[in-house]
Amino acid sequence: MTGEEIDQDQLKKQIAESMVGQELLIQEADTRDINVSEEDFNETLDRLASQNGLESKDESLAALEEQGMGKEEVMSQLEPQVKVDLLVASESGDITPTDEELQAAYDQMVAQQEQAGEDAEAPSFDEVKPDLEEEVKMQKESEAVQALVTKLREGADVTVNI
């Protein structure tokens, strides 16, 4: 994307580390005996539908069925991710951003816009507040996942062969 040469070895290592982290999270969710309810599946399917510009979980399932995946197959492949989501939610606790965190994120956004030399006036705080809330939540969740993966990695016997 930037026109720079991609470091293939570094990319392989990043992908391997990501896969190891995901597997450690799945194993931890299984160890904690996290059970997935139908409501958990429905929430995940609704979120996936929204992310893919679809109206509902039913549309998501219909789209996947058109691609040759039955409902049972979708559910069996989705279950590990739903378990990991529940694990992360239990680890991260309440990740509702504070007003101070939202203001800091807004100030950073405005500073980046000014640094980029964009002449347009920055939107008001109230206009972007919902987006900032989502961004800060995602950042906090990501930090919780990284902390958990680091902790799990310390107690795991992992060998990566590239």
Side-chain angles (χ1 to χ4, degrees):
M1 286 184 247
T2 61
E4 295 179 25
E5 186 69 27
I6 295 174
D7 184 342
Q8 293 292 325
D9 290 335
Q10 181 181 6
L11 182 60
K12 289 176 187 177
K13 287 177 186 175
Q14 286 175 339
I15 291 171
E17 289 300 320
S18 176
M19 292 172 71
V20 166
Q22 186 67 17
E23 184 59 31
L24 288 171
L25 290 170
I26 291 169
Q27 288 177 7
E28 181 67 13
D30 287 340
T31 299
R32 292 187 189 186
D33 202 25
I34 293 177
N35 295 310
V36 178
S37 69
E38 188 171 338
E39 182 180 331
D40 296 325
F41 273 118
N42 289 337
E43 286 177 15
T44 300
L45 285 170
D46 284 336
R47 189 175 63 246
L48 290 173
S50 176
Q51 289 171 352
N52 291 305
L54 301 172
E55 298 278 328
S56 67
K57 68 178 175 69
D58 294 329
E59 278 191 38
S60 286
L61 288 172
L64 290 167
E65 284 180 22
E66 285 178 20
Q67 296 174 13
M69 291 182 71
K71 183 176 180 176
E72 294 303 316
E73 185 179 359
V74 170
M75 295 305 192
S76 70
Q77 289 189 13
L78 194 57
E79 185 176 21
Q81 185 57 50
V82 176
K83 282 184 174 185
V84 167
D85 291 347
L86 293 170
L87 172 67
V88 169
S90 72
E91 283 292 312
S92 60
D94 182 20
I95 56 173
T96 304
T98 65
D99 289 338
E100 292 80 20
E101 291 170 324
L102 293 174
Q103 186 63 51
Y106 177 74
D107 294 343
Q108 182 180 8
M109 181 195 79
V110 170
Q112 287 174 342
Q113 190 174 355
E114 290 172 357
Q115 193 174 37
E118 296 177 18
D119 292 332
E121 186 175 324
S124 73
F125 177 77
D126 290 332
E127 287 178 287
V128 295
K129 185 176 181 180
D131 293 333
L132 292 172
E133 286 174 341
E134 189 62 31
E135 183 180 316
V136 171
K137 279 182 182 180
M138 287 174 48
Q139 182 179 355
K140 285 181 161 189
E141 186 176 282
S142 178
E143 290 168 0
V145 168
Q146 277 307 114
L148 180 57
V149 168
T150 299
K151 185 173 100 177
L152 293 172
R153 182 89 191 223
E154 289 171 359
D157 182 19
V158 177
T159 303
V160 177
N161 298 308
I162 298 181

